[in-house]
Amino acid sequence: SLLTHSLARSLARSSPSALHTMAAEKVAHELLTIARDRGCEDSAWEAIFEHLRAHPAALARPAVRKMNLLHQAAYWGHLIGVKGLLDEFHADPGELTGDGMDMDAATVAAAEGHHAVAALLREASEAKAKPEAEAPPEAEAAAVAVAVAEAPPAAE
């Protein structure tokens, strides 16, 4: 058909990075459909994780979708899905839905009555918000002690 021929010509002119982006978006759509339709099933998340390992860029929510994978896991209250997305794939717990409601994953979970999942997501969001350079007080005190011990004696 004319559409197929036009698409083929467009793809032929596309750069490798554009093709990679289009492929990742296609996989993202497929994974989001699985999460939307079967997000309560462990096997669905196992399949999603397997595909994400092969296509990490598919974690990104396509612009036309309302929810990302973490929102879907939160919606279903699927703890394994949420933990896997946070721990292995470093999903952003603060990313907002694209439906004008602007809900983070914790809010989605809470709205569906999944309070334990919402608490985990809030904790992850707070941990991500803290700057990594912020050292614990013990480490700061130890660094000061080393600096004092290594300082040359003051001239009198």
Side-chain angles (χ1 to χ4, degrees), residues 20-33 58 62 65:
H20 179 72
T21 301
M22 289 188 304
E25 189 165 320
K26 182 180 186 312
V27 173
H29 279 293
E30 291 170 3
L31 298 181
L32 283 163
T33 298
R65 291 291 189 132

Side-chain angles (χ1 to χ4, degrees), residues 9 12 17 19 21 24 41 51 66 72 80 88 92 98 100 102 104 106 118 126 129-130 137 139 143 147 156:
R9 277 196 333 217
S17 65
L19 289 174
T21 301
E41 301 172 19
H51 282 89
K66 294 176 185 179
Q72 288 290 349
I80 293 169
E88 184 175 350
D92 181 1
D102 296 336
D104 64 6
E126 290 167 8
K130 287 183 183 174
E156 293 181 20

